[in-house]
């Protein structure tokens, strides 16, 4: 699957936005499906293989947050959420519940196209041959199922964005990774000085790893520099 042959599902109750994105994204080579609400979204997901979802936050019935949580219960498909331009809370909540990126309305179709391309490339990169398991601290990461497995065998599923961030740390253990490096891998672009997305992503991953509190032991904050995974990493192909 190349990025321009990918199937994109646009979920928005605004018909003009659906039509605009269908026209623009189809013209650059994507296979576009559209839905006006949660019921139509579910029907599409059951019927078609979807590679990425563009999901509006504010919709009648099930809103975008509800639908994002629902999708994350059974799928790691990349999700870009469309949010109100002035509401940072929407953006942070969306990322915390598993969205991979956000775009504030009003937006340009070209910018959305760039975000889609970055996320699809990240997803494609994640499918490149990797060892089946990566072992670190008290965890084992299954790179095929995206499950974190603890010492008791309990599993924790992680979203596409969490998986990409964890893989980045696991490829560079005990190295300080700056915010732009993290943002570039997880979202395909540099962070901005007021951008909380990197902090939210790291906090969410810490939560998955049980590494919360005032003094995290596994993913350490290096003030003024970035973040560091303090662990020995081993690989196993079976």
């Amino acid at each position: 699957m190349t990025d321009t042959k990918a199937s994109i599902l646009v979920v928005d109750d605004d018909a003009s936005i659906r039509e605009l994105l269908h026209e623009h994204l189809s013209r650059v080579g994507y296979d576009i499906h559209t839905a006006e609400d949660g019921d139509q979204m579910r029907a599409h997901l059951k019927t078609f293989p979807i590679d990425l979802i563009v999901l509006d936050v504010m919709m009648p019935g099930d809103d975008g947050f509800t639908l994002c949580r629902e999708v994350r219960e059974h799928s790691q498909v990349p999700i870009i959420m469309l949010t109100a331009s002035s509401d940072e809370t929407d953006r942070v909540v969306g990322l915390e519940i598993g969205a991979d990126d956000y775009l504030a309305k009003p937006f340009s179709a070209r910018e959305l196209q760039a975000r889609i391309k970055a996320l699809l490339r990240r997803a494609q990169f994640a499918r490149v041959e990797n060892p089946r398991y990566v072992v670190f601290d008290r965890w084992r990461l299954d790179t095929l199922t995206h499950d974190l497995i603890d010492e008791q065998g309990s599993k924790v599923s992680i979203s596409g964005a969490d998986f990409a961030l964890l893989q980045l740390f696991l490829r560079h253990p005990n190295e300080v990774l700056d915010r732009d490096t993290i943002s570039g891998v997880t979202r395909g672009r540099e962070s901005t000085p007021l951008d909380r997305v990197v902090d939210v992503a790291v906090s969410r991953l810490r939560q998955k790893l049980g590494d919360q509190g005032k003094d995290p032991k596994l993913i350490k904050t290096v003030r003024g520099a970035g973040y560091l995974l303090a662990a020995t990493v081993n690989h196993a192909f079976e």
Side-chain angles (χ1 to χ4, degrees):
M1 186 268 298
T2 62
D3 61 336
T4 54
K5 296 298 182 182
S7 294
I8 311 297
L9 175 58
V10 177
V11 185
D12 197 306
D13 64 311
D14 188 327
S16 63
I17 289 179
R18 296 198 306 272
E19 292 170 4
L20 170 67
L21 296 184
H22 188 284
E23 179 181 356
H24 179 83
L25 296 174
S26 295
R27 189 165 57 242
V28 297
Y30 292 112
D31 180 20
I32 303 301
H33 303 262
T34 63
E36 66 178 2
D37 57 25
D39 289 340
Q40 288 190 6
M41 183 196 82
R42 296 180 188 99
H44 278 280
L45 291 176
K46 289 179 180 178
T47 307
F48 303 102
I50 299 297
D51 298 300
L52 183 144
I53 300 174
V54 177
L55 179 60
D56 186 32
V57 170
M58 297 301 293
M59 293 190 297
D62 292 329
D63 63 18
F65 297 139
T66 300
L67 296 174
C68 182
R69 290 189 186 95
E70 183 177 313
V71 170
R72 280 291 170 260
E73 290 177 359
H74 57 78
S75 173
Q76 304 303 326
V77 62
I79 297 175
I80 299 176
M81 301 200 78
L82 305 179
T83 71
S85 60
S86 61
D87 195 346
E88 183 186 27
T89 301
D90 279 0
R91 307 172 194 180
V92 173
V93 170
L95 293 166
E96 286 178 340
I97 63 177
D100 297 273
D101 203 352
Y102 64 83
L103 193 59
K105 291 183 176 181
F107 60 88
S108 72
R110 286 182 178 272
E111 183 177 6
L112 177 60
Q113 180 187 340
R115 303 285 183 94
I116 289 172
K117 188 173 185 179
L119 284 179
L120 289 174
R121 284 184 172 177
R122 190 194 75 188
Q124 194 169 24
F125 175 75
R127 289 192 291 270
V128 174
E129 182 177 355
N130 285 308
R132 173 66 189 270
Y133 297 104
V134 183
V135 181
F136 64 102
D137 194 55
R138 60 185 182 87
W139 294 98
R140 183 171 50 141
L141 174 67
D142 188 328
T143 63
L144 181 62
T145 65
H146 293 196
D147 285 330
L148 278 168
I149 307 167
D150 67 15
E151 295 170 311
Q152 288 72 44
S154 299
K155 296 181 180 180
V156 177
S157 294
I158 58 176
S159 72
D162 295 335
F163 181 73
L165 177 56
L166 180 55
Q167 279 200 317
L168 175 64
F169 279 124
L170 292 174
R171 290 191 179 102
H172 302 277
N174 302 299
E175 295 180 25
V176 177
L177 301 177
D178 63 32
R179 296 168 62 86
D180 285 343
T181 298
I182 294 173
S183 184
V185 168
T186 58
R187 297 196 296 153
R189 64 183 188 277
E190 293 183 352
S191 63
T192 63
L194 299 179
D195 198 340
R196 294 180 54 200
V197 172
V198 169
D199 300 326
V200 171
V202 171
S203 176
R204 187 175 62 206
L205 183 57
R206 282 172 169 162
Q207 183 178 8
K208 297 283 187 179
L209 294 168
D211 190 40
Q212 297 173 282
K214 295 183 178 179
D215 185 25
K217 304 297 183 184
L218 188 53
I219 300 178
K220 294 181 175 293
T221 300
V222 182
R223 294 195 179 279
Y227 295 95
L228 175 148
L229 176 70
T232 298
V233 176
N234 297 294
H235 302 86
F237 283 85
E238 296 182 358

